[in-house]
Amino acid sequence: MSGPEAPDLAAAAVSGGADIVELGFPFSDPLADGPVIRRAAEQALGAGMRTQACLECLAATREKVDVPLVPMTYSSLLEAYGWERFAVDARAAGATSLIVADLPVDERPELERVQLVAPTSTDERIGLAAERTDGWLYLVTVAGTTGARASLSPALAPLVERTRRLTDVPLYAGFGISTPEQAAAAADLADGVVVGSAALVAAEKGAAALESFVAQLRSALA
C-alpha cells in the first residue's frame, strides 16, 4: 500500500490480523508488479507521493501500528535518493527492514534487506540470499509479476523443498496468493504468506473492507 491513506489502511490490516505490513514506495516502472500494484503506484505518483512524502507516510504509519513495517521499492529510487541516506532515513521513520525488488543479492551487500528468491534461482543464489537476508526470505512463487491467479503456483513446493535444504531462516511465500484457500495452501508449505494485489483491491473499498479481507486470511491460517 502507498499514498496518504496508508496509515489508516495499515492499522486496519493489523486489526484484521496482519503480522507485517509492506508499504510500497511507488516507482514509475515497477518491473516485478502486475496491473493492480502498477495502478496504485501511478495513482500515488499522480498524487505527489515522492520519496520524502513516502518516508513521512511511513513515519505516520509507525505511529499507528507496532508490527514490522517493510518498505518495498526499486533500486532506481534508492540510487536517486542515496543508498545509505535512504537506509538511515527509512529506519528513522520506523522501517523494520526493506525490500528492493530488482536488486540482485550480490549487489549492495551492505544494504540490509529482505532477499527474494524465485523458482529460477540456483541453489548457489538461494544459499547466498539466505546468508544475507534480513530476517526472512521472500519466496517468489512464480516466474512473473505480482497479481491474483486462479490457483497456487505448482513451483512453490519444490522451491520450498530446495530452500529448506539450504537454510533454516523463515520462508514467506508471495506473488499470486489472493484467496484464503491459496494462503492456507501456501502456509502449509512455507512459514508465512505475503498478499499484495488482492489486499490492494480490498483496500479500494475502504479500511473496513481491508480489515475484513485480512481477517479471512488470518482465519484460513489458523
Side-chain angles (χ1 to χ4, degrees):
M1 61 184 67
S2 58
E5 71 281 2
D8 289 336
L9 291 173
V14 172
S15 294
D19 296 308
I20 297 174
V21 173
E22 179 185 307
L23 293 98
F25 277 38
F27 177 57
S28 58
D29 190 20
L31 297 177
D33 291 310
V36 171
I37 296 180
R38 281 179 176 269
R39 183 173 68 247
E42 290 169 0
Q43 292 172 345
L45 290 170
M49 292 299 293
R50 302 296 186 265
T51 304
Q52 186 58 49
C54 289
L55 289 168
E56 292 169 1
C57 182
L58 170 62
T61 303
R62 171 52 70 210
E63 292 179 358
K64 287 181 174 285
V65 303
D66 59 5
V67 301
L69 297 178
V70 183
M72 183 278 199
T73 190
Y74 290 84
S75 55
S76 290
L77 184 148
L78 275 70
E79 182 71 34
Y81 190 85
W83 294 91
E84 183 176 352
R85 178 187 173 208
F86 184 90
V88 170
D89 289 357
R91 294 279 182 176
T96 310
S97 189
L98 176 66
I99 296 172
V100 188
D102 61 344
L103 186 63
V105 63
D106 49 3
E107 293 189 20
R108 297 283 173 178
E110 77 283 357
L111 183 69
E112 292 187 16
R113 61 192 189 274
V114 174
Q115 300 286 352
L116 294 87
V117 297
T120 53
S121 299
T122 64
D123 285 0
E124 180 182 6
R125 300 293 284 187
I126 292 173
L128 183 60
E131 178 184 321
R132 294 185 176 177
T133 200
D134 186 18
W136 49 280
L137 267 181
Y138 193 139
L139 303 188
V140 177
T141 66
V142 297
T145 60
T146 60
R149 286 170 172 79
S151 60
L152 187 66
S153 170
L156 177 58
L159 177 59
V160 170
E161 183 180 358
R162 284 202 297 135
T163 306
R164 290 216 190 276
R165 288 201 304 263
L166 297 166
T167 182
D168 58 1
V169 301
L171 310 179
Y172 295 176
F175 281 53
I177 299 171
S178 58
T179 68
E181 293 76 18
Q182 291 171 358
D188 283 343
L189 300 168
D191 301 302
V193 297
V194 183
V195 179
S197 296
L200 284 177
V201 171
E204 290 173 355
K205 301 176 182 178
L210 177 60
E211 181 177 349
S212 176
F213 174 69
V214 174
Q216 292 175 42
L217 295 175
R218 168 56 71 184
S219 179
L221 299 179

